[in-house]
Amino acid sequence: CCSIRYIMTHDLTDTIIALSTPPGAGAIGVIRLSGPKAIEVVDKVFHGKDLSQVEGYTVHFGKIKDEEGKVLDEVLVTIFRRPRSYTKENVVEISCHGSNYIIEQIIHLFLRKGVRSANRGEFTLRAFLNGQMDLSQAEAVADLIASDSASSHDIAMKQMRGGFSDEIKELRQELIDFAALIELELDFGEEDVEFADRERLEKLVEKIQVVLKKLIDSFHLGNVIKNGVATVIAGRPNAGKSTLLNALLNEERAIVSDIAGTTRDTIEESLNIDGINFRFVDTAGIRKAQDSIESIGVDKAMSEIQKSTVALHVVDISDTTPEMVWSDIDTFKIIGTRFVIILNKMDLNPYTKPEEYYKEGLISAKNIITTSALNKMNIEALKEHLYHTVIDHPELMDQTIVSNTRHYDALHKSYESLAAVLHGLQSGITGDFVAMDIRQALHFLGEITGEIHTDDLLESIFTRFCIGK
């Protein structure tokens, strides 16, 4: 079904315009028009070739003149004729000089000609509504624009090219065919006939569940890749936390001092490790605060630990016993946070045995790393360990990964609905209840690709886009 109210606020018979390059002065600016009159309205102010006669996928040099014949700029005009365009409508892209004044004058010229300013995400909305892409692919466009690492870029590209949506559509259609047979049975309820093979339906539901479970399980990795890994650097004062941050970044980002409590606030920096963004947060030393300001810093450190995906607990091995480390970890260990123990300042006590800090059920041997942050010892090994702490199975990077929270929720609800279908089939419940559970599963699967969408859903998705896309 279509979302009538939201679409009514976006008149699809209009020709729309927006700046598609970032605002601000630059070498060039690209102004995009889409709609039934895009080529016609540009042709009226373009002085060069007759655009009404040119083929699509062609570029033409000329001048844009206003109503008084004043030359606004020399431009390149690119023509895309429907349906072979981003929106499946006539699309024109005008490449002009990147002066804010020139861009403003050209856009205002077209507004005076009856063209409407595009809303946020309206070009992609039209592409979706015109069948150029499904809803999950449209969302991938926004993810691609926002990607800031090789891995997030790869996930967005796979999804934009179809990702798992093609497989979902195929499985959903098989389920629809079975649902139709069960619905048909309901029309012949008094005759006690079965058109749908229950055994085949059960096997199909199990097959779909296997696919969904694999996608659901990939979300943790996908979410990490998309949003970055929240990594907190914690520990007692003077453990070398700020020195470790500087060593990881290979620059003097944090102030380093022998004075305990130097770091009062959190310091945040990002580091890309093999295509994964790690968002490091250096925190205040955790101890009984000496004043109110340090107390705030300690509270913020504890808060960051609770929000983190990975926590690097830095230990000064020159004055910290294993029992002290165990006590610290036991105090603030959070379920879901992966702790890595950094035995720092190994240069001061090179004979320390890491296995002494191992404690079953609390600290695993594989999550203990020895370093000398000051001398940058083992920093590359630590980076590699961090990568593998998040990416448990590197081969998963080559498979379909779910990174969208909306998709994860819909997949999870679909899985639960299919579990209800299986339970019903195995319990021998009547066809009307089986049909109801199937319809529920179909609804959630359809939400992923946009075959079923609501007014609020479309508005939520497309208003997150930038104008011009």
Side-chain angles (χ1 to χ4, degrees):
C1 69
C2 284
S3 303
I4 302 300
R5 181 176 63 81
Y6 183 58
I7 294 172
M8 284 294 289
T9 65
H10 297 71
D11 190 339
L12 299 182
T13 64
D14 287 351
T15 296
I16 57 175
I17 188 171
L19 176 67
S20 286
T21 45
I28 63 169
V30 178
I31 299 168
R32 174 184 285 174
L33 296 93
S34 180
K37 295 184 178 179
I39 297 175
E40 175 189 332
V41 74
V42 174
D43 190 44
K44 290 179 180 178
V45 299
F46 179 73
H47 294 263
K49 280 194 176 181
D50 182 353
L51 299 181
S52 66
Q53 303 301 314
V54 302
E55 296 182 356
Y57 292 96
T58 55
V59 183
H60 308 280
F61 174 77
K63 298 173 181 176
I64 297 283
K65 295 184 179 181
D66 65 13
E67 297 91 340
E68 298 175 355
K70 178 184 175 182
V71 176
L72 298 182
D73 198 13
E74 292 183 339
V75 301
L76 290 175
V77 169
T78 308
I79 302 295
F80 303 89
R81 291 190 177 274
R82 65 183 179 90
R84 300 180 63 197
S85 73
Y86 181 71
T87 61
K88 275 199 167 184
E89 303 173 332
N90 285 335
V91 172
V92 179
E93 292 184 352
I94 301 170
S95 299
C96 62
H97 290 93
S99 155
N100 286 330
Y101 174 78
I102 291 172
I103 292 169
E104 184 180 287
Q105 290 301 304
I106 292 175
I107 290 177
H108 284 177
L109 172 62
F110 286 112
L111 293 178
R112 294 196 295 272
K113 298 291 182 183
V115 177
R116 172 172 65 78
S117 291
N119 293 303
R120 296 176 70 91
E122 189 169 0
F123 290 95
T124 306
L125 172 65
R126 291 186 176 206
F128 163 65
L129 293 174
N130 290 330
Q132 180 76 312
M133 60 182 72
D134 65 33
L135 196 55
S136 66
Q137 290 173 303
E139 289 170 289
V141 172
D143 289 343
L144 186 64
I145 293 171
S147 63
D148 57 2
S149 70
S151 299
S152 59
H153 170 267
D154 289 346
I155 289 178
M157 284 299 297
K158 286 176 185 175
Q159 188 57 40
M160 199 167 72
R161 290 172 178 169
F164 62 87
S165 62
D166 290 339
E167 189 172 14
I168 292 292
K169 287 176 186 176
E170 185 178 327
L171 294 172
R172 184 173 183 269
Q173 186 57 54
E174 290 186 58
L175 199 56
I176 286 173
D177 294 340
F178 265 104
L181 292 175
I182 292 178
E183 298 281 359
L184 187 60
E185 289 177 5
L186 300 180
D187 293 335
F188 293 87
E190 296 179 1
E191 301 180 27
D192 193 27
V193 293
E194 279 193 1
F195 295 111
D197 185 329
R198 296 309 196 257
E199 188 174 333
R200 281 185 58 209
L201 175 58
E202 190 170 329
K203 288 181 179 178
L204 173 63
V205 170
E206 289 174 344
K207 182 175 82 169
I208 296 174
Q209 280 192 311
V210 169
V211 175
L212 298 188
K213 184 67 166 61
K214 189 176 180 181
L215 293 170
I216 290 168
D217 289 345
S218 76
F219 176 71
H220 172 74
L221 175 59
N223 192 49
V224 160
I225 291 173
K226 180 178 178 180
N227 299 310
V229 184
T231 307
V232 66
I233 302 176
R236 297 188 178 207
N238 269 358
K241 298 182 295 299
S242 297
T243 306
L244 181 66
L245 176 63
N246 290 341
L248 285 165
L249 299 175
N250 199 29
E251 64 174 276
E252 299 301 311
R253 174 63 181 86
I255 297 173
V256 176
S257 168
D258 291 333
I259 302 171
T262 301
T263 303
R264 297 297 187 95
D265 201 352
T266 57
I267 299 173
E268 299 187 24
E269 284 292 341
S270 293
L271 178 66
N272 190 294
I273 302 176
D274 292 338
I276 305 295
N277 267 351
F278 285 80
R279 295 182 286 105
F280 288 101
V281 181
D282 182 20
T283 61
I286 298 175
R287 66 173 181 178
K288 185 175 181 180
Q290 303 299 305
D291 54 58
S292 59
I293 296 177
E294 186 180 2
S295 176
I296 294 172
V298 172
D299 289 343
K300 290 186 73 172
M302 296 298 292
S303 175
E304 292 296 338
I305 292 171
Q306 292 177 354
K307 294 185 294 184
S308 65
T309 301
V310 177
L312 303 182
H313 183 63
V314 185
V315 177
D316 178 354
I317 60 166
S318 66
D319 68 354
T320 310
T321 65
E323 289 77 15
M324 292 165 70
V325 175
W326 300 337
S327 175
D328 289 345
I329 297 298
D330 198 46
T331 298
F332 53 67
K333 190 167 185 179
I334 309 298
I335 295 175
T337 299
R338 304 183 186 192
F339 277 82
V340 179
I341 309 304
I342 310 297
L343 299 183
N344 192 32
K345 303 187 182 181
M346 284 294 290
D347 53 312
L348 299 180
N349 195 356
Y351 300 107
T352 296
K353 296 179 180 179
E355 57 269 24
E356 294 177 355
Y357 289 81
Y358 163 73
K359 186 175 184 181
E360 189 174 355
L362 187 66
I363 301 173
S364 65
K366 70 175 183 178
N367 283 325
I368 298 176
I369 303 291
T370 58
T371 67
S372 171
L374 183 64
N375 298 308
K376 298 186 178 178
M377 185 192 90
N378 253 9
I379 296 302
E380 291 306 313
L382 173 57
K383 290 179 182 179
E384 184 178 348
H385 183 82
L386 283 172
Y387 176 85
H388 287 287
T389 297
V390 177
I391 312 297
D392 298 313
H393 304 285
E395 65 274 11
L396 293 176
M397 299 295 288
D398 297 325
Q399 301 174 15
T400 301
I401 298 173
V402 175
S403 62
N404 186 300
T405 302
R406 187 184 73 82
H407 297 168
Y408 171 79
D409 289 340
L411 288 166
H412 189 69
K413 290 174 181 176
S414 300
Y415 188 91
E416 289 183 335
S417 297
L418 289 173
V421 173
L422 272 183
H423 178 73
L425 290 172
Q426 293 163 358
S427 303
I429 64 173
T430 57
D432 52 343
F433 286 105
V434 172
M436 183 171 64
D437 290 330
I438 291 177
R439 282 195 295 268
Q440 188 85 326
L442 289 171
H443 174 86
F444 293 124
L445 289 174
E447 277 191 348
I448 295 172
T449 58
E451 290 160 289
I452 294 173
H453 53 263
T454 63
D455 182 51
D456 292 338
L457 176 61
L458 288 187
E459 188 165 6
S460 171
I461 290 172
F462 288 103
T463 53
R464 289 200 297 265
F465 280 66
C466 54
I467 293 175
K469 195 65 177 178

